[in-house]
């Protein structure tokens, strides 16, 4: 990992809307699944078995990278992409917070109705 890409990955906050938007596409979700083995993959490897072109896969990877979900590193002539799970962990925490707020609201409603 280059110091520049490591720096971008560790210092950037990931707004939930940006992460949700990046994950709101089936192709990008499938790329996240393929990258979930935590191994670096080249664009050729990620394109293999897909109906999409290298350019289309690259475009989707750049959206994921802009959201902080993947990181790319140059090795020789190719870029290798790795999953960066922190933004996904952050939206999981965000969803847990929203879920807890709903649970509290439902508990208040239940208490109101039963009293």
């Amino acid at each position: 990992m280059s110091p520049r890409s490591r720096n971008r990955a560790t210092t950037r906050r990931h707004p939930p809307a940006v992460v949700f938007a990046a994950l709101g596409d089936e192709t990008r979700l499938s790329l996240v699944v393929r990258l979930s083995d935590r191994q670096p993959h080249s664009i050729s490897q990620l394109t293999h078995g897909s109906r999409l072109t290298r350019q289309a896969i690259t475009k989707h990877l750049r959206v994921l990278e802009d959201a902080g979900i993947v990181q790319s590193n140059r090795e020789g002539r190719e870029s290798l992409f790795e999953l960066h799970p922190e933004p996904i962990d952050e939206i999981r925490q965000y969803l847990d917070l929203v879920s807890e707020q709903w649970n509290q609201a439902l508990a208040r409603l239940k208490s109101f109705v039963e009293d």
Side-chain angles (χ1 to χ4, degrees):
M1 179 182 304
S2 73
R4 183 174 174 226
S5 62
R6 181 180 304 126
N7 234 359
R8 273 192 324 191
T10 57
T11 59
R12 191 184 333 173
R13 284 279 306 153
H14 309 98
V18 173
V19 178
F20 281 121
L23 294 175
D25 179 275
E26 285 189 36
T27 300
R28 291 193 286 270
L29 285 174
S30 70
L31 288 169
V32 168
V33 169
R34 292 188 73 178
L35 291 166
S36 63
D37 64 1
R38 307 296 303 267
Q39 299 296 315
H41 293 270
S42 69
I43 294 171
S44 295
Q45 291 169 327
L46 294 169
T47 303
H48 183 74
S50 170
R51 294 177 295 135
L52 299 175
T53 64
R54 287 174 52 93
Q55 291 78 15
I57 294 293
T58 301
K59 183 178 172 184
H60 285 290
L61 287 167
R62 295 298 177 210
V63 171
L64 293 170
E65 188 173 37
D66 287 345
I69 299 167
V70 300
Q71 298 173 334
S72 67
N73 298 301
R74 293 287 297 178
E75 282 202 14
R77 294 177 53 185
E78 64 183 359
S79 293
L80 298 177
F81 289 84
E82 292 180 79
L83 182 67
H84 183 243
E86 283 78 7
I88 296 172
D89 292 338
E90 289 172 10
I91 62 171
R92 182 180 306 124
Q93 292 171 3
Y94 175 81
L95 291 174
D96 288 344
L97 175 68
V98 171
S99 177
E100 180 58 31
Q101 290 173 342
W102 272 103
N103 288 339
Q104 291 173 2
L106 289 172
R108 285 192 305 271
L109 178 62
K110 181 179 178 185
S111 174
F112 177 77
V113 170
E114 291 177 349
D115 290 340

